Amino acid sequence: MAAGHNNVAAVGTSASNAKYGTSYLASYSQGTSHAQVAVLKANLRQYRSITPSYLWTSTTSLEGNTSNSFDAATKANLIVFQNNTGLTADGIYGAGSRNAMHASIGVSPKGWVRIFKSTPGYVNYNDTAEGLSADATYKLDHSWCTSACRDTLYSLGYSFYSYYNKLIQVNDACLLDGADTPEHSTHQTGTEVDIRNAGLTTAQATKFLEICIANANVKRVIYYTTHGLTSNKILVQSDHGDHFHVDTFS
Amino acid sequence: MRILKICGIVALTVLIGCANSEAPNLAKPSPPATTGETAAPTVPSPHFTTQLETPGPAITGVSKVKLINDLNYTGKEISLNLGGRQVPATFVEINLHPYGFYIPENMQEFVFEDGSEVGLNRAEFIGLSEVERLVNPDNLHESLRFGGDTLFYDEELQQFEEYIGSSKDGDEGPRVDGFLLKHGGTPDMLIYFRYFNKNKESVLPIFLEVTKNIKYIEP
């Protein structure tokens, strides 16, 4: 479970390895030998077993291939996975592929879910190239939360979209099952999510606050201003100038 | 009668041994309620309820001591007793919570947009959280799983009234020790130590001394 990866092949950096006492690599590619490569192969075998066989014609099977060596067959299977999940199919397993693997077959013992990459209500900033780049220090997956929290995000985003035809950008929630994170003091309960305010006008930010206040599952929003709204759900914190921190009840 | 007494003592000793060790049933407690396979979230398992209501030392009959005795912040400068040596300390207020710590030179404050921690580094620190904001406020020990999957009680820490248990990820890896801070009229707080188990000997005494001197700052 170290660093919130559970059953999925882990990636890491010197900073995250120092934090968790692990020795994960930032990426794995053909020629790499590492224990996480064997995990990746198991992940690819599982993914292959739950996807249509026509995707895999002419791709060497990884059945029985359980070594730590990232070989040509691993690369070929990874490329199919990347193609099928909308990633750049470069055959290199890094944070983007890890996120997609989490989304595909990641298991949360607590029953948490991963925030979708995109929906009609929001986009997951963590899964964008910009978001992945912003997470380069630790390369952790902060997209896990409770299912009720994810439903609430969708509801908030969809309401906002209906006013402005604009998708909100969901940023960090929690690591899988609330593993301790070096990037936040809280964000461990599965009910805490940051929403970016980049590109929002004052009117749009105000509307988003109104939508949050009206949502029964929103417990609190931390933001740098109330924008003139009166609600005990808004907690003003000056250091929340670039995002809304949304707490949900469940 | 005497034999019965001896048997009683032997039985009690066995119980004490179980309470202080990493018993298998603690290492693999029932899954949390969020899996949907156990009781409702507000009903902790009897196993943990018993542990929380009568922590180890109460069972053993060994009297507990309070780790935190005086929460009043006066603004005074103090020194900390580390390894028998008095070292100067700097007072640091915690973001978002009305508490502060006196920390020695080798510790620093880590500020996040949603709070702050004080620690030796990013991996070994003291954190604070309102109990009601934990994953499982009704089962504090269970809530410590963010430190690792193995729940246990540390014999050395059971002397403290505030101690609620520990978690760890392997014998050398990260661990978390939890303490419940109750301060009349304010939300109950979890104080937790996060550090590597292999560094316990050097880190724990520092964190205990720092926590002993935690102060409440009137908002």
Side-chain angles (χ1 to χ4, degrees):
Chain A
M1 184 75 84
H5 287 87
N6 198 26
N7 63 315
V8 162
V11 298
T13 63
S14 56
S16 57
N17 285 330
K19 165 82 181 176
Y20 298 103
T22 50
S23 55
Y24 303 142
L25 302 182
S27 64
Y28 305 86
S29 56
Q30 191 166 349
T32 304
S33 182
H34 193 284
Q36 289 303 305
V37 173
V39 180
L40 171 60
K41 288 177 181 177
N43 293 159
L44 289 167
R45 280 195 295 275
Q46 186 183 350
Y47 183 76
R48 185 167 175 157
S49 74
I50 59 171
T51 44
S53 56
Y54 67 80
L55 292 171
W56 305 89
T57 49
S58 76
T59 307
T60 309
S61 169
L62 288 174
E63 287 303 322
N65 184 344
T66 57
S67 74
N68 292 344
S69 299
F70 196 119
D71 50 21
T74 309
K75 182 176 181 179
N77 279 262
L78 179 58
I79 284 174
V80 174
F81 170 79
Q82 290 174 324
N83 268 323
N84 205 39
T85 50
L87 299 169
T88 302
D90 56 6
I92 299 170
Y93 184 82
S97 296
R98 184 275 319 275
N99 287 1
M101 194 64 84
H102 261 162
S104 301
I105 62 160
V107 172
S108 150
K110 283 184 182 169
W112 289 11
V113 295
R114 192 174 187 281
I115 295 167
F116 294 116
K117 187 174 181 178
S118 67
T119 73
Y122 63 77
V123 291
N124 186 344
Y125 180 73
N126 295 296
D127 288 335
T128 65
E130 190 184 337
L132 285 164
S133 172
D135 287 336
T137 306
Y138 295 101
K139 291 189 182 294
L140 298 168
D141 184 10
H142 288 94
S143 289
W144 291 87
C145 64
T146 64
S147 58
C149 180
R150 186 173 70 178
D151 291 348
T152 302
L153 283 177
Y154 179 77
S155 176
L156 297 176
Y158 195 73
S159 295
F160 184 78
Y161 187 83
S162 67
Y163 284 100
Y164 293 109
N165 287 333
K166 191 170 191 171
L167 296 173
I168 59 169
Q169 293 183 333
V170 176
N171 201 356
D172 284 1
C174 302
L175 298 182
L176 192 149
D177 282 0
D180 185 55
T181 166
E183 296 191 36
H184 300 274
S185 174
T186 53
H187 285 255
Q188 289 175 310
T189 63
T191 57
E192 301 157 296
V193 187
D194 289 341
I195 312 289
R196 286 164 53 81
N197 67 357
L200 298 190
T201 63
T202 299
Q204 289 170 340
T206 306
K207 176 55 71 179
F208 184 73
L209 285 172
E210 284 175 354
I211 290 168
C212 287
I213 292 166
N215 189 292
N217 197 35
V218 171
K219 185 179 186 181
R220 182 176 70 167
V221 184
I222 305 177
Y223 198 50
Y224 79 98
T225 175
T226 63
H227 279 316
L229 300 173
T230 304
S231 169
N232 56 12
K233 281 189 176 183
I234 304 176
L235 175 64
V236 175
Q237 291 284 337
S238 59
D239 51 3
H240 281 63
D242 63 358
H243 68 279
F244 307 89
H245 172 109
V246 177
D247 290 333
T248 60
F249 283 103
S250 58
Chain B
M1 191 66 174
R2 189 172 185 158
I3 292 172
L4 281 175
K5 233 179 195 174
I6 292 170
C7 288
I9 292 168
V10 169
L12 186 59
T13 308
V14 170
L15 282 174
I16 292 166
C18 290
N20 288 349
S21 64
E22 292 160 24
N25 61 337
L26 285 182
K28 290 184 178 176
S30 53
T34 43
T35 59
E37 293 172 3
T38 55
T42 50
V43 185
S45 69
H47 177 71
F48 284 107
T49 304
T50 302
Q51 287 172 340
L52 290 177
E53 288 177 354
T54 55
I59 298 169
T60 65
V62 176
S63 62
K64 290 191 214 173
V65 295
K66 280 180 84 72
L67 175 63
I68 302 159
N69 286 296
D70 179 13
L71 276 165
N72 288 332
Y73 178 60
T74 61
K76 276 185 189 166
E77 283 187 14
I78 70 162
S79 58
L80 299 173
N81 184 345
L82 297 179
R85 214 163 48 87
Q86 292 296 320
V87 300
T90 308
F91 190 72
V92 170
E93 290 184 34
I94 296 299
N95 271 10
L96 293 182
H97 299 302
Y99 290 92
F101 291 99
Y102 284 98
I103 60 172
E105 233 177 27
N106 61 342
M107 285 178 70
Q108 58 184 302
E109 182 186 17
F110 299 109
V111 181
F112 304 88
E113 87 284 351
D114 54 356
S116 59
E117 296 159 351
V118 291
L120 297 161
N121 52 61
R122 291 275 184 185
E124 299 181 308
F125 60 85
I126 301 170
L128 279 176
S129 176
E130 285 180 20
V131 165
E132 70 157 24
R133 296 206 45 74
L134 297 176
V135 172
N136 194 340
D138 298 313
N139 190 334
L140 297 184
H141 200 178
E142 181 69 29
S143 290
L144 299 182
R145 280 188 187 278
F146 63 85
D149 279 340
T150 305
L151 298 181
F152 69 105
Y153 289 103
D154 187 304
E155 194 173 348
E156 195 182 336
L157 296 174
Q158 284 194 306
Q159 63 177 302
F160 299 117
E161 276 184 20
E162 297 91 342
Y163 178 61
I164 51 114
S166 300
S167 68
K168 66 178 181 178
D169 186 4
D171 288 336
E172 300 277 293
R175 67 176 272 171
V176 164
D177 302 323
F179 301 84
L180 175 61
L181 173 60
K182 284 179 172 287
H183 186 218
T186 65
D188 290 351
M189 301 294 296
L190 170 74
I191 304 174
Y192 62 93
F193 304 165
R194 199 271 192 193
Y195 57 101
F196 289 108
N197 203 26
K198 62 184 177 186
N199 297 336
K200 178 187 167 188
E201 206 176 307
S202 59
V203 175
L204 185 55
I206 301 172
F207 285 3
L208 284 173
E209 178 67 7
V210 168
T211 302
K212 196 173 139 186
N213 291 290
I214 186 175
K215 298 298 174 199
Y216 177 76
I217 307 157
E218 208 67 55

